[in-house]
Amino acid sequence: MGRSQETFSKKENEKKRLKKRQEKQQKKEERKESSPGGSLENMMAYVDEYGNITDTPPDPIRKKKEIDASTIEIGVPKQEAEDLTLPKKGKIDFFNDQKGFGFIREDGTQEKYFVHVNGLTEEVREGDKVSFELEKGLKGMNAVNVKRI
């Protein structure tokens, strides 16, 4: 007969596994005891007509409002058509002479628009007040026909 294949470290590892298993079982039992009744009624949630989650069931006597499904808009609301030919006013926020592009910040809305040197009618610098028109570009709106005021 040979020696037993169970070494000291194997015995210790087995003891640790058993201890972990017992601790896990004990925690499970403690959670069961401390939980306030896990009945189905306690776990139920209801949604009211406004989409809020509540724990009270809906009142069947109460009259519900009728909603016309055709008035519900799904998706992003359509933008109003903006007249792009009207001249707008703004200020050159940034302009790089070497690369030939910059940005104009519109007065009032504070929106920024890209401007390229090809869209200029005269030379401009940072801080100049300008009037411009908008044109749809590849990455958004571009300022064209830029003139100093």
Side-chain angles (χ1 to χ4, degrees):
M1 290 289 212
R3 262 174 86 187
S4 171
Q5 294 297 317
E6 213 167 297
T7 62
F8 177 76
S9 62
K10 286 183 182 178
K11 287 179 187 177
E12 289 299 312
N13 287 339
E14 186 63 29
K15 284 180 189 176
K16 286 179 185 177
R17 264 187 254 130
L18 284 172
K19 187 176 179 183
K20 277 187 182 180
R21 204 175 293 154
Q22 287 171 349
E23 287 173 357
K24 190 174 180 180
Q25 185 66 28
Q26 187 179 3
K27 286 180 185 177
K28 183 179 176 182
E29 289 171 7
E30 286 174 5
R31 277 195 306 267
K32 268 188 180 178
E33 290 171 7
S34 65
S35 71
S39 68
L40 180 65
E41 195 59 39
N42 289 341
M43 290 189 271
M44 292 295 285
Y46 303 95
V47 178
D48 64 6
E49 66 254 24
Y50 304 110
N52 301 320
I53 298 174
T54 64
D55 57 349
T56 57
D59 188 10
I61 300 169
R62 190 170 167 207
K63 189 175 178 184
K64 295 179 183 175
K65 275 195 296 185
E66 286 293 322
I67 297 173
D68 184 18
S70 63
T71 61
I72 299 172
E73 274 191 51
I74 298 175
V76 179
K78 292 184 175 99
Q79 288 184 337
E80 297 171 11
E82 193 177 328
D83 190 9
L84 302 177
T85 58
L86 291 176
K88 298 181 179 282
K89 294 184 180 193
K91 184 178 178 183
I92 302 286
D93 198 37
F94 166 80
F95 195 79
N96 188 333
D97 291 323
Q98 283 128 357
K99 294 188 179 179
F101 75 95
F103 294 95
I104 297 175
R105 187 176 296 271
E106 185 181 6
D107 292 342
T109 62
Q110 297 298 312
E111 239 181 281
K112 279 188 173 181
Y113 298 108
F114 176 81
V115 62
H116 192 267
V117 74
N118 295 342
L120 301 175
T121 56
E122 52 193 76
E123 199 172 305
V124 294
R125 290 178 293 166
E126 281 186 33
D128 286 350
K129 295 266 187 188
V130 292
S131 68
F132 60 96
E133 295 175 7
L134 291 177
E135 176 181 86
K136 185 92 172 140
L138 293 174
K139 296 184 179 180
M141 302 305 284
N142 295 340
V144 292
N145 298 333
V146 180
K147 300 175 191 165
R148 234 181 321 165
I149 300 177

